[in-house]
Amino acid sequence: MTVGIVGLGLIGGSFAKAYSAAGWEVLGFDRENHILDFAILSGAVSGLLDGESISRCDLVLIALCPEDAVAYLTEMAPYIGTKPVVIDCCGTKRFICSICFPLAKEHGFTFLGGHPMAGTHNSGFKYARPNLYHNAPMVLVPPDFHSIALLNRVKQLLTPAGFGHISITTAEEHDRMIAFTSQMPHLVSNAYIKSPTAGEHKGFSAGSYKDLTRVAWLNPTMWAQLFLENKDYLLYELDGLINQLSCYRQAIDENDSAALIQLLDEGRRRKEEVDGQ
């Protein structure tokens, strides 16, 4: 079995190491030649993924930012052929699926939107690890929700990554949910760390500080693109948070203990409701 991986950063590199460890032939492409060379030297990648080799892959994983993923697939579409299943790994789905579903149909290859729900605050191939996706969720956006054979085939092709759960959804629903579960935490964390007090935290911070600030360490170019592509859903969540925070601020400013207790209890009960005790 052969997998082609486009983009050998944390996401693509971890896929490369996982599939290589499972005994697959791994072909790779990265716009930085030295990264591809290093991946080959490390044994995670066995050769170059190009216009001649892509058509013999069983699976092709595109681990690039959405705009770069679309550009790559547009360029390579005539060479893919009917054998590979192509899955992108972008953080938003409406943009890439709206372009790549018609592109795949025009050129006769199979494309699904995908989003592996795993990562770290580090980026780059040197931080990639073969167990990054073990027990993590994988979200898929198929072109046809009625093709059980395709979904079964894709699940088999993804087995070496070790995902714990695979969800099937629409591009619209994916982007709506991801605005809350992923984009908002990154945005809030990045804004929170800008407090002038942050520079003095050592000796006064523990788990809550670390939890809240972990994802402030992000790739600005990639996340800006994801935020803007999903601005409608992200603004909805952001406006909701601002409204909630203004209520807390008002209660504190007015020394309104009863209102503050109510707000805090509402949040505690909401956490219990959505996540259990």
Side-chain angles (χ1 to χ4, degrees), residues 43 75-76 100 116 184 187 219 236 257:
E75 179 182 351
M76 296 298 290
C100 293
M184 277 294 288
L187 190 66
N219 180 324
Y236 171 82
S257 177

Side-chain angles (χ1 to χ4, degrees), residues 111-134:
F111 172 82
L112 294 87
H115 188 180
M117 303 299 296
T120 72
H121 63 273
N122 295 311
S123 60
F125 182 82
K126 68 178 180 178
Y127 296 107
R129 61 178 195 264
N131 64 347
L132 180 67
Y133 306 113
H134 283 190

Side-chain angles (χ1 to χ4, degrees), residues 121 186-187 190 214-220 223 227:
H121 63 273
H186 282 81
L187 190 66
N190 195 263
R214 180 180 65 84
V215 292
W217 200 343
L218 47 69
N219 180 324
W223 281 98
F227 288 165

